[in-house]
Amino acid sequence: CPLTETADFMAAWQRYGVVVGQAILSPAQCQQTINRIHELLGHLQDGAVQDVNGTPAMSRGFLEVYHDASLAQIRQNPRFYLQQVLIWQQAELWCSFDRFGVKPPEGENAAGLPLHVDQNPLVHPGFKTTQGVLALADCPLERGTFMAVPGSRGLFGHYAGMAKNNGEYVELDMSQPLVARLAAHAQPLPLRAGDLVTWDSRTTHGNTSNLSRQNRYVAYVS
């Protein structure tokens, strides 16, 4: 627990670049947020709703909804906030990005995300931000869960040769010799509802496919 085992929590962060806090959100708060997601999904019809760029509101397991009151409540949750204060070692924090994630049990949105980083070493070579996935319902392996390569931020510079542009999403180039080294140490992290996994954006990560019969519900916060 980051609040009762602070030294161990920070030692894991420094060593691995990824940590998990348990029971950050209560079961009631998780269910309230899932209810809100269902309400939002009720406004969509077969992915017909798109943004100005033509991206479907449900895309690759992400629900393109931002600035919702339920997301604001997650950001302001005391346990969530205190975990981030520990990581950043400061009390004044700025949330730069949040949205929901829904990975259904079938269709193209059920597929996992390949190993990648969400920071481009050609643009931001040093520490820039943290990312987080908060499980709103249990995320066992078969339902599609977060996957990371602990300690991989030490290899972040190798992604410079894999970046195709200045975009922040840089996928692991399967032709590179580094692939086998990273892929062999990829660790799926099963999560309970309310658990929060936070990682340094230089850490190689992805998520697994949903092979179950239930939706995966998460919130993303950076």
Side-chain angles (χ1 to χ4, degrees), residues 191-214:
L191 302 170
R192 296 279 191 184
D195 290 353
L196 170 70
V197 55
T198 303
W199 66 97
D200 184 318
S201 280
R202 296 171 294 177
T203 298
T204 300
H205 64 281
N207 61 46
T208 61
S209 298
N210 187 351
L211 305 177
S212 73
R213 296 183 177 181
Q214 295 178 291

Side-chain angles (χ1 to χ4, degrees), residues 13-193:
W13 173 256
Q14 295 298 335
R15 181 175 181 180
Y16 300 116
V18 57
V19 287
V20 177
Q22 296 180 311
I24 297 296
L25 218 61
S26 71
Q29 290 172 309
C30 288
Q31 188 57 56
Q32 289 170 2
T33 308
I34 290 175
N35 292 343
R36 175 56 177 159
I37 291 174
H38 287 167
E39 181 183 358
L40 293 166
L41 288 173
H43 298 300
L44 308 181
Q45 295 181 354
D46 301 321
V49 178
Q50 300 178 341
D51 65 13
V52 293
N53 297 315
T55 302
M58 271 286 293
S59 175
R60 296 206 307 169
F62 298 108
L63 179 57
E64 303 294 342
V65 173
Y66 309 84
H67 309 301
D68 191 76
S70 56
L71 289 168
Q73 290 173 7
I74 290 173
R75 293 197 305 268
Q76 296 172 56
N77 177 280
R79 291 178 66 87
F80 181 98
Y81 170 71
L82 289 173
Q83 178 171 319
Q84 304 308 306
V85 168
L86 281 175
I87 290 172
W88 285 93
Q89 292 293 291
Q90 65 180 57
E92 295 181 351
L93 304 176
W94 176 36
C95 179
S96 58
F97 174 97
D98 57 10
R99 65 178 171 183
F100 297 120
V102 181
K103 190 180 287 292
E106 57 186 17
E108 63 180 34
N109 288 323
L113 283 178
L115 293 175
H116 66 280
V117 290
D118 292 302
Q119 182 174 327
N120 191 327
L122 298 177
V123 182
H124 300 288
F127 176 57
K128 178 176 180 283
T129 191
T130 62
Q131 296 173 254
V133 165
L134 177 67
L136 299 172
D138 289 351
C139 294
L141 292 179
E142 68 272 14
R143 197 173 298 168
T145 193
F146 177 78
M147 177 172 58
V149 183
S152 58
R153 62 181 168 186
L155 300 172
F156 175 65
H158 290 274
Y159 274 90
M162 306 181 202
K164 296 180 173 56
N165 49 47
N166 287 334
E168 295 292 7
Y169 178 86
V170 183
E171 192 172 308
L172 192 63
D173 184 344
M174 301 306 289
S175 68
Q176 297 291 324
L178 184 64
V179 168
R181 185 176 174 187
L182 288 171
H185 292 87
Q187 296 290 316
L189 302 178
L191 302 170
R192 296 279 191 184

